[in-house]
Amino acid sequence: MPNALSSPLSRRGILAAGGAVGLGVALAACGNGDDDKESAGAGGDAKAGPWSFKDDRGETAKADSAPKSIVAFTGTAAALHDYGIEVKGVFGPTTTKDGKPDIQAGDLDVTKVEILGNVWGEFNVEKYAALAPDLLVTAQWVEGELWYVPEQSKDKILKLAPSVALLAAETTVPKAVQRHADLAESLGADLKAAKVTAAKARFEKAAGRLRAAAKSKPDIRVLVGSASQDLFYVSLAKMSADTLYFQELGVRFVEPKVNAQGFFEELSWENIDKYPADIIMMDNRSSALQPNALSSKPTWARLPAVEAGQVVPRVTEPIYSYDKCAPILEDLAAAIEKARKVA
């Protein structure tokens, strides 16, 4: 796992580097009613006049008119794109070393956005200022911190435009998707558009399928893993928006003895067989080692789930739109439907 910050890593840095899968347990749903959409914004059928939006920090971003020059964390920008809202600039994993779109870019055309930073700790403030930003949007994994906005330049960045932070951890998938939809609607998105309503219907159907799959195979145990060169991380499901939601739908997870931070347990490669599992969900981010890179780890190859071919990707940082979250539910449902008890 590449170090995102100088040692010792903060919780935020560890998350970004690929060793963990999320933070806090679900809280009461953040408001998503009329108070959060005080006025619509630019784009599509946006209403004229002042714009404001209350984010998940409880802070209200305001502007004289709907923001048009929007800069966002890559995954957040991808979610807005799915609702028809485009951004001018992004920061966070956007392109891979070969120049192809990172998995967190979703359907974004990465050639048409200004990339202000592609890795942890990188954010070009000068390029950001040149975009004359009206709004900065990102995720919140740790209370009070803006995802991929460097601490050392945060004050300069936040002086240039209003900011919005949407929960990525202290929530569940449906709540996070709804909040991203709320923001998109405030910026002018049409949530009644055929593409959006079809994606929502698919999401709801997929949730039902996963619930049924989990109910039909209650003995199947799923392990949430993330690999680095030296360590294997087993995460506690209830600490992340996606796996917490899967739990609510009936999926049964391995429960590791987490470290003092409470999010995951670090295992040496010699001890990765500590927890029997029938399915292994592996962190799919480019910052984590993927299963095809683990052939040199003999203990990995001997795991029953690996031998049975029951290893599936885990979308650790979901793009919170109905369009992108529906396939996540479908894929896990299919994996459980096909799985056999091996542990």
Side-chain angles (χ1 to χ4, degrees):
M1 177 177 65
N3 285 354
L5 299 175
S6 59
S7 184
L9 290 175
S10 68
R11 290 184 297 170
R12 191 168 176 253
I14 291 172
L15 282 166
V21 298
L23 293 175
V25 297
L27 301 178
C30 292
N32 56 13
D34 293 339
D35 288 343
D36 299 315
K37 298 177 285 185
E38 296 177 24
S39 65
D45 297 325
K47 297 177 182 177
W51 172 90
S52 64
F53 184 85
K54 186 177 181 181
D55 73 1
D56 291 345
R57 297 171 297 178
E59 298 183 11
T60 300
K62 297 180 179 180
D64 293 337
S65 61
K68 295 180 180 179
S69 183
I70 304 169
V71 173
F73 170 68
T74 303
T76 309
L80 291 175
H81 169 82
D82 286 348
Y83 291 112
I85 302 299
E86 304 299 340
V87 304
K88 287 190 175 181
V90 296
F91 54 95
T94 307
T95 58
T96 57
K97 291 180 179 180
D98 58 5
K100 296 180 180 179
D102 187 274
I103 194 166
Q104 294 190 59
D107 293 334
L108 281 179
D109 185 342
V110 298
T111 67
K112 293 183 178 180
V113 292
E114 184 74 56
I115 301 174
L116 306 180
N118 200 48
V119 297
W120 183 260
E122 184 178 87
F123 191 114
N124 191 311
V125 181
E126 289 73 23
K127 285 185 177 181
Y128 178 57
L131 292 174
D134 297 323
L135 180 66
L136 176 79
V137 188
T138 190
Q140 178 178 285
W141 287 81
V142 180
E143 185 176 356
E145 296 185 7
L146 300 178
W147 196 231
Y148 271 82
V149 176
E151 287 295 322
Q152 63 270 25
S153 54
K154 181 177 70 174
D155 291 343
K156 292 181 180 179
I157 293 168
L158 295 183
K159 286 180 180 178
L160 295 173
S163 63
V164 164
L166 298 177
L167 287 176
E170 298 176 352
T171 187
T172 60
V173 171
K175 294 173 185 176
V177 170
Q178 183 61 56
R179 291 295 287 147
H180 285 70
D182 290 341
L183 176 60
E185 185 177 32
S186 83
L187 295 169
D190 179 8
L191 299 188
K192 294 182 180 179
K195 179 181 177 181
V196 177
T197 57
K200 184 175 182 180
R202 180 184 176 186
F203 175 87
E204 292 170 346
K205 182 178 180 181
R209 178 182 174 185
L210 180 54
R211 188 188 298 277
K215 185 176 181 179
S216 70
K217 294 191 175 180
D219 293 334
I220 295 296
R221 291 292 185 277
V222 181
L223 182 147
V224 182
S226 184
S228 72
Q229 189 60 44
D230 299 320
L231 294 171
F232 185 76
Y233 300 84
V234 182
S235 294
L236 189 61
K238 70 178 184 179
M239 302 302 282
S240 184
D242 61 330
T243 46
L244 172 60
Y245 182 51
F246 302 157
Q247 268 189 326
E248 292 179 350
L249 293 175
V251 178
R252 306 184 78 172
F253 288 94
V254 166
E255 296 190 5
K257 295 180 180 179
V258 295
N259 61 18
Q261 293 178 330
F263 314 125
F264 54 84
E265 179 179 359
E266 305 99 326
L267 298 176
S268 67
W269 282 100
E270 290 76 15
N271 295 310
I272 65 169
D273 60 354
K274 180 177 179 179
Y275 297 106
D278 304 296
I279 295 174
I280 300 176
M281 297 181 69
M282 288 293 287
D283 186 346
N284 75 334
R285 292 177 295 180
S286 56
S287 54
L289 291 181
Q290 299 306 303
N292 59 9
L294 301 179
S295 58
S296 63
K297 309 289 187 183
T299 50
W300 167 259
R302 291 197 296 267
L303 291 176
V306 176
E307 290 180 334
Q310 295 178 175
V311 178
V312 298
R314 187 276 177 108
V315 182
T316 305
E317 290 187 52
I319 294 169
Y320 287 116
S321 68
Y322 291 112
D323 184 69
K324 295 300 181 292
C325 287
I328 295 173
L329 299 176
E330 293 168 345
D331 291 346
L332 182 55
I336 293 174
E337 290 164 354
K338 297 174 184 176
R340 57 188 178 88
K341 188 70 180 173
V342 295

